[in-house]
Amino acid sequence: MKREMIVVLDFGGQYNQLIARRVRECNVYCEVHPCSIELDRLKAMDPKGIIFTGGPNSVYGEGAPRCEKELFELGIPVLGICYGSQLMAYMLGGTVETAPVSEYGKTDVAVEAGSALFEGVSEQTVCWMSHTDYISAAPEGFRVTARTPACPVAAMECPGRSLYAVQFHPEVMHTREGMKMLSNFVSRICGCGGSWRMGSFVEESVRSLREKIGDGKALCALSGGVDSSVAAVLLSKAIGKQLTCVFVDHGLLRKDEGDEVEAVFGPDGPYELNFIRVNARERYYKKLAGVTEPEQKRKIIGEEFIRIFEEEAKKIGAVDYLVQGTIYPDVIESGLGKSAVIKSHHNVGGLPDVVDFKEIIEPLRLLFKDEVRKAGLELGIPEYLVYRQPFPGPGLGIRIIGEVTAGKVRIVQEADAIYREEIARAGLDRGLGQYFAALTNMRSVGVMGDGRTYDYAVALRAVNTSDFMTADASELPWGVLAVTANRIVNEVKGVNRVLYDLTSKPPGTVEFE
């Protein structure tokens, strides 16, 4: 049976991946593509619906991103969000101009009855606005279906042409009934049955990987984290011993993590694959000596990963494919379409120009973190591995501010182990999106016993997030923080101060680098 699909066209908005994730929560498969996609390619995908994202531009500005006007005549339902709604209005003869009053944040919206998009939505609802321009006049043939005191066209529609638009962001949690609106678009307007499940994704992936690789050999970049572990088991199910997993112990892992990874994926583990552990910590420390800029550290670590894989591949013999655990947030933060590059990833943006493999396979590239975990459970991976804390590819190299040294790695490993132990002891480990300790480059005066110290400050980070595209700092119990801080200062040599990071994403990132 052909898979139903909704396509999200990216016009540069920060929530493009979040829109896709919300659609998938409706059990409908969804992909994000640049707004510049060729119309023939878009039609070939045979989408049941199309969603335009928001974006930072003005539709009437020079160089503003556009889509082809013919797209509106395909008969495929289109939902424009924020910039996407303004673009629809502008291209179809409406008027878009600078709003007399900009709207940002939670806003009361009055919704008209009789719209399929707002079926079951309250007449007065709260939505998240973020715009300076607005639609002052809807195109001919459109009916205005929602308003605010400052926005005359908060939503509009032309059901006869299957065109719908909202000025606000239904995809964010701050829009109280946003999921109901998106579900209405996907099911009522696009006619999707909601048949996409993670089990079917796993089955399709195993089958397609087996067909693609055939009797070839694959080399998997195994870090021991959730993403690479799920990717490795997925490939193991598909091609068995044709897969070799190379685990690079770069000396930037969490405490005892190297031995734990080997215990799971090594020769005594439950999976049918070949396992190689490369101890390369001294090689990495040498490469990182004197380097302080985080983006440069990411690229150095990423390049060494690839070089080591190339070396191991040559030892093994002919290897056709390199497997990586890239997931959707990696892709978007490395720059998808018009979106800004926030940071490079060793498995996306930091790849060297020359790679000695026929092709790179990224079986999880279209999944969000929570979906990767679901895939892991479908594959039979133990829960303690599936729900392991996310860990960046560059490891502690980016959780150490400034130059990376063996001494600093020891400090952050010990502090992080204490923090994770206290979080688990308090029963908070499964309720947090991500938590870890990082080493700041700040040293300050302290007092221990009768002596003066001049040591480092450790920063603790904990966030609540479901998609890793946005995150809020977690309100951890004071007692947990106090015990953790006391243990770190007393047990970790070189630390005399512990800080807690209260920054959300945005403006910060989940990682501390």
Side-chain angles (χ1 to χ4, degrees):
M1 184 177 69
K2 183 173 173 57
R3 180 170 63 186
E4 298 174 327
M5 180 193 291
I6 299 292
V7 170
V8 174
L9 293 187
D10 175 23
F11 288 89
Q14 61 178 317
Y15 298 130
N16 44 18
Q17 302 299 319
L18 187 56
I19 296 170
R21 184 177 177 278
R22 297 293 183 237
V23 172
R24 292 189 193 181
E25 287 179 13
C26 301
N27 295 316
V28 175
Y29 183 68
C30 185
E31 289 184 2
V32 179
H33 291 276
C35 62
S36 58
I37 186 171
E38 294 179 358
L39 202 59
D40 287 342
R41 185 182 168 205
L42 181 62
K43 288 191 287 187
M45 296 177 186
D46 193 24
K48 299 278 284 185
I50 299 169
I51 300 178
F52 291 179
T53 73
N57 300 88
S58 293
V59 295
Y60 48 79
E62 186 178 348
R66 299 271 195 275
C67 65
E68 295 186 48
K69 193 171 182 179
E70 186 185 342
L71 186 151
F72 297 111
E73 309 304 327
L74 298 177
I76 301 171
V78 179
L79 172 62
I81 294 175
C82 197
Y83 176 90
S85 71
Q86 296 169 8
L87 181 68
M88 183 184 295
Y90 185 77
M91 293 185 71
L92 297 179
T95 304
V96 177
E97 55 190 337
T98 302
V101 179
S102 298
E103 287 181 307
Y104 293 97
K106 294 180 180 179
T107 305
D108 291 326
V109 177
V111 175
E112 298 285 332
S115 169
L117 187 66
F118 296 125
E119 180 71 30
V121 174
S122 308
E123 290 183 7
Q124 291 286 335
T125 189
V126 175
C127 300
W128 184 262
M129 290 284 194
S130 181
H131 66 100
T132 300
D133 292 342
Y134 76 161
I135 302 168
S136 57
E140 185 178 349
F142 277 75
R143 178 172 78 99
V144 176
T145 54
R147 298 175 174 82
T148 75
C151 186
V153 187
M156 65 179 189
E157 64 180 42
C158 183
R161 300 169 67 184
S162 298
L163 302 178
Y164 299 80
V166 293
Q167 179 60 69
F168 51 83
H169 289 272
E171 71 275 18
V172 303
M173 297 304 294
H174 304 297
T175 296
R176 190 174 294 163
E177 298 175 272
M179 270 305 297
K180 192 177 294 182
M181 300 171 196
L182 289 173
S183 177
N184 283 339
F185 177 72
V186 169
S187 59
R188 292 177 178 274
I189 295 170
C190 298
C192 294
S195 58
W196 190 67
R197 298 289 189 278
M198 192 49 62
S200 62
F201 170 83
V202 169
E203 291 173 9
E204 290 175 17
S205 295
V206 170
R207 183 171 57 252
S208 64
L209 286 168
R210 189 176 291 139
E211 291 174 358
K212 180 182 183 66
I213 296 172
D215 59 0
K217 292 184 178 180
L219 186 63
C220 179
L222 179 64
S223 70
V226 177
D227 304 333
S228 67
S229 295
V230 172
V233 175
L234 196 61
L235 266 292
S236 173
K237 296 277 187 184
I239 61 173
K241 287 288 189 177
Q242 293 165 238
L243 171 68
T244 298
C245 288
V246 174
F247 167 54
V248 179
D249 186 348
H250 47 27
L252 302 171
L253 299 169
R254 289 170 286 206
K255 186 178 180 181
D256 300 327
E257 194 160 47
D259 294 337
E260 292 171 2
V261 171
E262 185 168 0
V264 173
F265 290 97
D268 298 327
Y271 305 113
E272 186 182 6
L273 50 81
N274 301 304
F275 177 83
I276 297 172
R277 178 175 179 175
V278 181
N279 293 306
R281 74 176 58 206
E282 294 306 321
R283 177 171 171 172
Y284 273 92
Y285 292 170
K286 185 176 180 180
K287 285 278 185 179
L288 292 168
V291 179
T292 60
E293 205 278 317
E295 188 69 6
Q296 188 180 356
K297 286 194 282 187
R298 282 182 173 272
K299 291 186 180 295
I300 289 172
I301 294 169
E303 180 161 344
E304 280 308 291
F305 258 86
I306 296 298
R307 295 298 163 235
I308 290 171
F309 291 142
E310 288 175 336
E311 293 166 11
E312 293 304 319
K314 288 173 183 175
K315 294 177 188 176
I316 297 165
V319 174
D320 306 293
Y321 301 95
L322 172 65
V323 181
Q324 296 187 147
T326 310
I327 65 173
Y328 235 166
D330 296 340
V331 176
I332 182 59
E333 291 194 344
S334 295
L336 173 70
K338 296 285 185 178
S339 300
V341 175
I342 297 172
K343 59 188 177 183
S344 68
H345 294 254
H346 78 274
N347 53 351
V348 182
L351 289 175
D353 294 332
V354 179
V355 181
D356 287 344
F357 303 101
K358 183 204 296 191
E359 189 176 340
I360 293 177
I361 293 178
E362 298 168 316
L364 310 178
R365 185 181 178 86
L366 298 177
L367 297 187
F368 293 97
K369 181 69 73 174
D370 59 323
E371 294 176 320
V372 173
R373 296 191 197 281
K374 290 177 184 176
L377 295 175
E378 287 286 339
L379 287 163
I381 300 175
E383 282 197 13
Y384 78 89
L385 279 180
V386 170
Y387 287 101
R388 192 172 197 164
Q389 272 290 292
F391 193 61
L396 301 181
I398 59 167
R399 290 182 181 172
I400 295 173
I401 307 302
E403 183 182 14
V404 175
T405 66
K408 288 183 178 180
V409 171
R410 176 197 59 79
I411 289 174
V412 77
Q413 282 178 334
E414 296 290 342
D416 183 71
I418 291 170
Y419 186 32
R420 287 186 288 124
E421 184 179 313
E422 292 301 329
I423 289 288
R425 181 174 290 152
L428 301 171
D429 49 322
R430 290 286 287 271
L432 298 172
Q434 188 166 340
Y435 55 94
F436 58 87
L439 183 63
T440 74
N441 204 30
M442 181 187 82
R443 298 177 73 186
S444 62
V445 174
V447 178
M448 287 190 180
D450 295 323
R452 175 186 183 276
T453 63
Y454 187 63
D455 288 326
Y456 287 104
V458 162
L460 304 180
R461 180 92 164 124
V463 299
N464 294 320
T465 180
S466 58
D467 48 57
F468 288 83
M469 301 307 297
T470 59
D472 292 319
S474 304
E475 294 185 33
L476 295 185
W478 181 256
V480 173
L481 290 173
V483 169
T484 301
N486 186 59
R487 284 193 59 194
I488 289 174
V489 169
N490 282 286
E491 298 175 31
V492 182
K493 186 178 179 180
V495 178
N496 67 359
R497 196 176 295 272
V498 176
L499 314 173
Y500 187 64
D501 182 1
L502 293 173
T503 315
S504 62
K505 175 187 178 180
T509 60
V510 171
E511 284 297 332
F512 190 107
E513 61 179 296

